[in-house]
């Protein structure tokens, strides 16, 4: 993953819409997952370290890390397909996780799709009404160490046309 976001920003209304959609998911709100920024195919987010979401070791539970990775990957995916979200449904198919350290303190996450994959995915959606995109995620803790890596497989499908009546 790159250290800085790609140059193509999303319009402010699209960023606000993606954030609102992810923040409205009850589980994200319960755990405190927040999307902090969104661009075309990338996003960042955070999750606070709170006692109810710690594990038996006193560190942040893997479930909270998983939830943050899913949310930030979904925001990156939505950023890649922002122009199509009114007529399409994004769905996660798979989230492959690798926990690489114990998480201490507030979590930060960054998700990025490979920018080279975006044109083909957009063309596939235009041609077939569906597309897939892989998003890579890195989660770091309050000590700025990477604690989790994930690979999210997202799917976009067109909403069915309303019945003609």
């Amino acid at each position: 993953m790159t250290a800085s976001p790609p140059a193509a920003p999303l319009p402010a209304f699209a960023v606000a819409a993606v954030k609102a959609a992810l923040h409205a998911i009850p589980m994200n709100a319960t755990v405190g997952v927040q999307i902090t920024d969104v661009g075309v195919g990338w996003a960042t987010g955070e999750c606070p370290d709170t006692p109810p979401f710690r594990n038996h070791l006193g560190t942040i539970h893997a479930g909270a890390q998983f939830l943050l990775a899913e949310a930030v990957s979904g925001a990156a995916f939505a950023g890649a397909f922002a122009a199509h979200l009114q007529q399409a449904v994004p769905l996660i198919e798979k989230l492959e996780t690798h926990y690489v350290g114990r998480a201490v303190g507030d979590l930060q996450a960054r998700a990025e799709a490979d920018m080279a994959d975006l044109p083909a995915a957009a063309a596939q959606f235009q041609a077939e009404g569906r597309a897939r995109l892989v998003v890579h995620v890195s989660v770091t803790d309050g000590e700025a160490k990477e604690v989790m890596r994930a690979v999210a497989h997202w799917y976009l499908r067109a909403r069915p046309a309303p019945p003609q009546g």
Side-chain angles (χ1 to χ4, degrees):
M1 290 189 349
T2 61
S4 61
L10 282 176
F13 74 89
V15 171
V18 170
K19 285 182 178 183
L22 273 291
H23 296 165
I25 296 171
M27 191 65 163
N28 289 346
T30 298
V31 176
V33 167
Q34 292 286 309
I35 302 303
T36 54
D37 204 2
V38 182
V40 178
W42 65 270
T44 58
E46 60 191 17
C47 180
D49 176 5
T50 55
F53 304 111
R54 291 186 188 143
N55 59 27
H56 61 289
L57 300 173
T59 59
I60 300 174
H61 194 280
Q65 295 175 59
F66 183 97
L67 188 63
L68 176 59
E70 180 191 24
V72 77
S73 71
F77 182 79
F81 286 99
H84 305 289
L85 293 179
Q86 291 292 348
Q87 73 263 15
V89 178
L91 301 164
I92 192 163
E93 292 183 302
K94 177 172 44 172
L95 184 67
E96 302 166 0
T97 58
H98 181 198
Y99 299 94
V100 295
R102 288 188 276 172
V104 178
D106 296 342
L107 299 176
Q108 305 289 321
R110 179 171 184 82
E112 293 183 21
D114 184 338
M115 296 306 289
D117 293 342
L118 297 183
Q124 182 183 21
F125 182 75
Q126 287 299 106
E128 302 172 20
R130 63 178 186 253
R132 285 184 166 78
L133 191 63
V134 173
V135 178
H136 297 269
V137 182
S138 176
V139 177
T140 57
D141 71 359
E143 297 176 348
K145 70 180 184 299
E146 187 175 49
V147 294
M148 177 199 195
R149 288 183 214 115
V151 179
H153 299 259
W154 283 89
Y155 176 70
L156 187 71
R157 66 170 171 81
R159 293 182 193 276
Q164 300 294 322

